[in-house]
Each structure stands twice: as C-alpha cells, then as structure tokens.
Amino acid sequence: MSDVVLELPSDLRTELKEPLGRIYTDTAALLADAGNPIIAVGDMVTYHLIEAGRTPDLALVDERTKRSAVDADVAAAIDGFDRTLSVDNPAATLTAELLAALRDGIDSDGTTLLDVDGEEDLATLPAVLAAPAGASVVYGQPDEGMVLADCDDTARDRVRSLLKRMDGDAERAIALVSN
C-alpha cells in the first residue's frame, strides 16, 4: 500500500491546466532558456530533451503519454542515466516514496531516472519546490508543447498554494522535498 501524502481534489484539476511557465514547441529554444539543473517530468519531455542531446539531471517517467503507452522507440530512447529508481505513485496522488525519491534525485551528483509505477504528472509541483534556485522544471502541456517552469519565488508560492489546497498533509509533502 502506497503512503499517499496528497491527493488531487477534482476542483483543482482545471487550475492545474494553467502552465507554470512559458510553453515551447522547439526543444533547442527551451534548452537555450533553461537553467541548471534540469528536471523533466514526463516521458515525451524526457525523450525530446535526450534527443536534443541533453539528458535531464532528474527525469520522472511512467511509460505513458496522454493515458496511453508510449511508443517503443520513445521508451528505448529514455536511457543513459547514471541510475534508475522505481517508485509507486497512484494516479492523482503524491506519495511519500515519490517525494523522497525526488529529493534524493535532486541531491544526487549524477543523473537519475525515476520510473514511476502509476502516474508522475503531479510531481511537477514538488519538483518546483525541491529544485535549487536557477533550476528549471520541464513538463508537457498536452497538445501544446513543453512548459519551462522557473524555480523562483513566484512559482514556489503558487505551488505551495496549490499543494495546501490538495487533500492530505501539505506540510508533510513540503517537508519531504525541502532542503
């Protein structure tokens, strides 16, 4: 049984569709604007970054895109990480296991792939909190492109507000990813 810390209530779903940063369709342009480290949330985002020659410092994947399995060539291309960790995280939740692995991946000296059994979508929120100043979190905006979220005070304040309106223990979630 997963230790679910937060669960997404249905009334927040619409608000989460509002991007946390600029939307890009060109990976090279995104990389030119991105800070370091780069945290990628999602299979397609991770794939596009790797194809552009930039392995993310931390990537979270679930082998799915828009609720369907990713193509075999996409899954095969997501490779070359220094280490891979597997975590459980049911859809529309954030588990203690995922949050701890996210913190561990950010603190690691090498590159880390988090292979999520369940869904990684909500990991964007704690990633923005956990990442150091100057970092970038990149995630997919369905049918639009990739969002480049800067890890600045404005983004962190918005993320904290969203987490506090989720069902569960927001303070615990924030503590699990904080330095």
Side-chain angles (χ1 to χ4, degrees), residues 8 10 15 29 44 51-52 84 109 116 120 126-127 137 164-165 173:
L8 179 65
S10 57
E15 192 170 342
M44 295 310 297
E51 288 293 297
T84 300
D109 288 333
V116 179
E120 87 292 76
V137 175
K164 288 177 180 177
R165 290 184 286 147

Side-chain angles (χ1 to χ4, degrees), residues 22 39 64 91 95 101 105 118 138 152 171:
R22 288 185 49 203
I39 301 164
R64 306 194 68 73
T95 62
V138 184
D152 59 20
E171 295 307 319

